[in-house]
Amino acid sequence: MASGGHSGELPEVLVLGFPWVLPSLESQFSNRFHFLKPSNSDLPLLQFLSSFAQSARALLIPGGGIQLTSAILDCLPALKLVVTTSTGLDHLDLPELRRREIDIAYAGNLFTQDVADLAVGLLIDVLMKVSAGDRFVKQGIWPSKRKFSLGLKLSGKQIGIVGLGKIGTEVAKRLEGFGCRISYNSRTKKPLVPYSYYSNVHELAANCEALIICCGLTAETRHMIDRDVMVALGKDGVIVNVGRGAIVDETELVRRLIQGELGGAGLDVFENEPEVPEELFNLDNVVLSPHVAVLTTESMVGLTQLVVENLEAFFSNKPLVTPFEDYSS
């Protein structure tokens, strides 16, 4: 690792995009780091970055949105650390960062509990029509219509989890409390879990009433939840996605929901965020959330501290607190 800044100067940290924790970082730690924001300059992005080519050794970037491309990295030959505020890394060019020997610090397991909570919450909402019932009351429909459509219980359902990593495991633990029968698909079979394993997601879907997507986005998982998987899940099946939008073939998902060929969906992520298919807006069996699974007060406080700890470790030539090391992903 390389240290940054000259003696008596604050270490420079370039900021791309608009990380949620940036206001907290600036208000609490501006005496420890010099945050360099392209938004404060009239220069084009690449020209702005090039002006710090020899001095900027650390870069802060949020998950999703802006992509860290080779063109950006070419402007920053001194860069030795990328700190991302996300767990997912699909916005980073991992092979290129490895080639350039640039370290990565990420959110690690910080958001695991929050994402698992929302995954189960979305599933309950879709099955028991919580949001639909809320609209039914608030729009004044109840006095005139009286009857509200029946929901479904979660208890005892057969639930398939796609990706039994940290988040998937926490989802499973929560669903055990509802007496759900749990099965999963993952890159490898987990030797110490009691759940049924399916080596491919199509077989998993064929044996479940709902799928919860918890895996990361890679070339292999892009559009993994496709037409065949949705057919296998069946017309009463429910899809909950707290992973990444592009894991699901969104066009096919929308079509099947409109045609009544799926039971419902709970979506916190979308293929082309922040654009969301408007066809979903009036469907009572669809619950939409603006990619906010991790946005709890507690996690933002923790994330602010984690970013600072990683930056301080880097600039002090100490090991990163949450390094990302699996560049093969």
Side-chain angles (χ1 to χ4, degrees):
M1 294 182 184
S3 61
H6 301 293
S7 178
E9 295 180 358
L10 294 178
E12 294 178 340
V13 180
L14 282 164
V15 181
L16 291 185
F18 300 94
W20 279 92
V21 295
L22 184 58
S24 295
L25 290 170
E26 290 185 308
S27 64
Q28 298 176 48
F29 302 101
S30 59
N31 62 332
R32 286 150 76 175
F33 305 102
H34 184 196
F35 295 103
L36 305 169
K37 299 184 293 183
S39 59
N40 288 346
S41 171
D42 294 329
L43 294 175
L45 175 61
L46 297 185
Q47 187 176 343
F48 173 84
L49 296 176
S50 296
S51 66
F52 299 97
Q54 302 307 318
S55 61
R57 292 174 169 82
L59 182 146
L60 175 65
I61 185 172
I66 191 166
Q67 296 287 312
L68 187 56
T69 62
S70 293
I72 290 175
L73 294 173
D74 286 342
C75 299
L76 303 168
L79 188 68
K80 288 299 177 184
L81 174 68
V82 170
V83 180
T84 181
T85 58
S86 64
T87 299
L89 302 174
D90 48 287
H91 57 302
L92 304 181
D93 187 336
L94 297 181
E96 187 63 19
L97 290 171
R98 177 176 56 187
R99 186 184 72 80
R100 296 174 188 249
E101 298 183 339
I102 297 173
D103 292 327
I104 301 171
Y106 73 131
N109 298 323
L110 180 66
F111 303 136
T112 298
Q113 304 291 335
D114 297 329
V115 179
D117 288 348
L118 184 65
V120 176
L122 287 171
L123 181 59
I124 292 173
D125 195 333
V126 174
L127 292 175
M128 304 197 73
K129 303 182 182 297
V130 179
S131 291
D134 179 74
R135 290 190 294 273
F136 188 80
V137 173
K138 289 181 177 178
Q139 293 175 6
I141 301 172
W142 192 10
S144 58
K145 193 173 181 181
R146 295 289 179 177
K147 289 186 178 180
F148 182 68
S149 57
L150 295 175
L152 295 167
K153 64 165 65 176
L154 172 59
S155 301
K157 286 283 187 293
Q158 180 73 49
I159 309 297
I161 298 175
V162 181
L164 199 70
K166 291 289 196 303
I167 292 172
T169 299
E170 289 299 322
V171 170
K173 288 179 182 178
R174 286 155 174 73
L175 292 174
E176 284 181 347
F178 290 89
C180 293
R181 294 163 291 155
I182 299 163
S183 51
Y184 73 99
N185 164 263
S186 203
R187 286 186 293 182
T188 57
K189 184 176 182 180
K190 311 294 181 181
L192 301 178
V193 301
Y195 317 127
S196 300
Y197 172 72
Y198 291 91
S199 59
N200 70 75
V201 72
H202 184 276
E203 291 181 8
L204 177 69
N207 289 277
C208 291
E209 296 169 273
L211 286 180
I212 301 181
I213 316 302
C214 300
C215 62
L217 177 62
T218 66
E220 291 74 28
T221 62
R222 182 175 294 274
H223 282 194
M224 177 171 63
I225 309 301
D226 57 12
R227 177 186 180 279
D228 290 342
V229 172
M230 295 180 207
V231 169
L233 185 59
K235 67 180 183 63
D236 296 321
V238 171
I239 292 175
V240 171
N241 191 1
V242 292
R244 283 291 186 267
I247 296 170
V248 177
D249 183 340
E250 190 170 87
T251 300
E252 182 65 18
L253 175 69
V254 171
R255 188 192 70 78
R256 299 189 76 81
L257 286 167
I258 292 173
Q259 297 297 323
E261 297 172 3
L262 269 178
L267 308 172
D268 184 52
V269 289
F270 305 89
E271 193 159 359
N272 299 296
E273 297 177 7
E275 301 301 321
V276 177
E278 293 184 5
E279 299 94 323
L280 299 177
F281 291 178
N282 294 318
L283 298 180
D284 277 346
N285 60 338
V286 176
V287 179
L288 307 175
S289 176
H291 202 156
V292 293
V294 306
L295 296 184
T296 63
T297 298
E298 296 88 345
S299 282
M300 290 303 101
V301 171
L303 181 60
T304 300
Q305 191 60 41
L306 189 61
V307 168
V308 170
E309 289 173 357
N310 276 303
L311 289 172
E312 289 187 332
F314 170 72
F315 287 119
S316 301
N317 289 318
K318 296 178 180 178
L320 297 174
V321 178
T322 51
F324 177 78
E325 297 170 336
D326 184 12
Y327 280 79
S328 63
S329 296

